[in-house]
Amino acid sequence: AIHEVDLRPQGPRFPVVEGETILKAAIDQNVALPHGCKIGRCGLCKSRLIEGDVLHREHSDFALSQDEKASGLVLPCVATPVSDVSLAPVLLDSSMPGHELREFDARVSALENLTHDIMLVRLRPEGGPLEFAPGQYSTLSLPDGTARDYSMANRSGAPDLEFHIRRIPGGRFSEHVHTQLEPGEVLRVKGPLGAAHLRTDHDGPILAVAGGSGLAPVKSIVESAVWLGMRQPIHVYFGAREERDLYLMDHFRSLGKRHPGMTFTPVLSYGPGGGDYLTGMVHDVLARDTDRGAQRAPHLFGHVGEGIRCIGIGDENGELIAADAAKRVVRPEVASKPPRDGEQETIAHDQAVGRV
């Protein structure tokens, strides 16, 4: 069966095959629908169900509580319609990036090992540079059709797109990148995608927390904020397992020299201590710092620690959250999600894991 979705207030209407989620159908048909994680964890796609019925797959209570569900709210990323439906996204159009969605070929211009299991891939787009909001992502496809989503790590409009691709054992896409991809090869790119991004009109402090290759969207956000002359404090926490998993340390420190209000705090969960980093779990370190900071700057830190504990941020599984002081998601990411085709691949590299 095929059901029709009426996206209000301005449309369009689009079909959804029974058993398919509303968000997947929207993305496949190039329908602009606010979203971040695509797996029911962030709440960015939250919409009001006006008519019809849907079934929800498993999702986080943080993204959609039982009270919200009872009041008629749904998560299109995990909602499958069982009838024709009408819904209205809660996220206002004014907060959505307005960049053109493109699909194009891009040639590999450079490859570089950032760590033992993270590869930097630079792609030169055909048809000119890609314009996007810092924190958005693109879908990359191999010639055989294998596709994965990754955050852009560069600034918008740069000649090359930059992606940080972590090797996942057995992952079809990441194994190909790390063992077979060569400069000059062509990948297919679709983007920009995602509703989580840097709000350049925000003048309050920015807090970004990254784990592993989740540093990619944070790099884009921080570089862009500095380049645009945004003067508010910027606090970056980078969690990794061991010292060999840290990367771009000098780069972020050089950004700190250009932006006096920026701090960069690397945290190792299994480090011996005594180096240029803190030890422990990144969410514990952040919670400790935010508890202290709440006494000095409640407008920035007041509820951050509680929110992070609520959504279970942990650096060992590559999760990331980047939120501004207004408690809005700026650019979050989950570096892993439920396996696709039996593999734990880095599928949704620009996903919101929560609002703090």
Side-chain angles (χ1 to χ4, degrees), residues 215-259:
L215 196 61
V218 167
K219 176 179 178 290
S220 178
I221 287 172
V222 175
E223 282 185 357
S224 300
V226 173
W227 185 70
L228 292 170
M230 298 175 70
R231 299 183 179 181
Q232 63 264 56
I234 301 173
H235 304 283
V236 179
Y237 287 77
F238 178 35
R241 296 176 68 88
E242 304 174 78
E243 194 165 1
R244 67 173 183 163
D245 298 312
L246 295 172
Y247 69 101
L248 293 182
M249 304 274 282
D250 291 340
H251 178 73
F252 275 91
R253 285 168 179 152
S254 68
L255 288 174
K257 293 179 180 177
R258 295 167 54 192
H259 189 296

Side-chain angles (χ1 to χ4, degrees), residues 241-243 246 266-280:
R241 296 176 68 88
E242 304 174 78
E243 194 165 1
L246 295 172
V267 183
L268 295 186
S269 53
Y270 296 99
D276 295 331
Y277 47 79
L278 300 180
T279 56

Side-chain angles (χ1 to χ4, degrees), residues 307-329:
I308 284 179
R309 283 187 288 270
C310 173
I311 59 178
I313 295 293
D315 61 282
E316 66 272 280
N317 58 7
E319 292 181 336
L320 169 149
I321 182 169
D324 65 15
K327 314 297 188 295
R328 297 175 303 180
V329 170

Side-chain angles (χ1 to χ4, degrees), residues 148-179:
R148 299 292 183 265
D149 299 338
Y150 292 98
S151 311
M152 281 75 76
N154 55 287
R155 294 203 315 267
S156 175
D160 287 348
L161 295 172
E162 176 184 331
F163 299 95
H164 301 174
I165 299 180
R166 179 170 173 249
R167 185 174 189 175
I168 306 297
R172 286 207 308 269
F173 193 102
S174 63
E175 287 281 15
H176 179 90
V177 167
H178 280 258
T179 62

Side-chain angles (χ1 to χ4, degrees), residues 105-113 118-124 140-146 148 150 161-167 171-189:
D105 288 338
R107 194 170 299 276
V108 178
S109 59
L111 297 169
E112 177 186 345
N113 287 310
I118 297 176
M119 177 79 75
L120 182 152
V121 178
R122 295 190 190 276
L123 299 177
R124 179 67 56 91
L140 308 185
S141 299
L142 299 175
D144 67 0
T146 301
R148 299 292 183 265
Y150 292 98
L161 295 172
E162 176 184 331
F163 299 95
H164 301 174
I165 299 180
R166 179 170 173 249
R167 185 174 189 175
R172 286 207 308 269
F173 193 102
S174 63
E175 287 281 15
H176 179 90
V177 167
H178 280 258
T179 62
Q180 301 180 48
L181 192 66
E182 297 287 346
E185 292 189 32
V186 174
L187 302 182
R188 192 70 176 167
V189 180

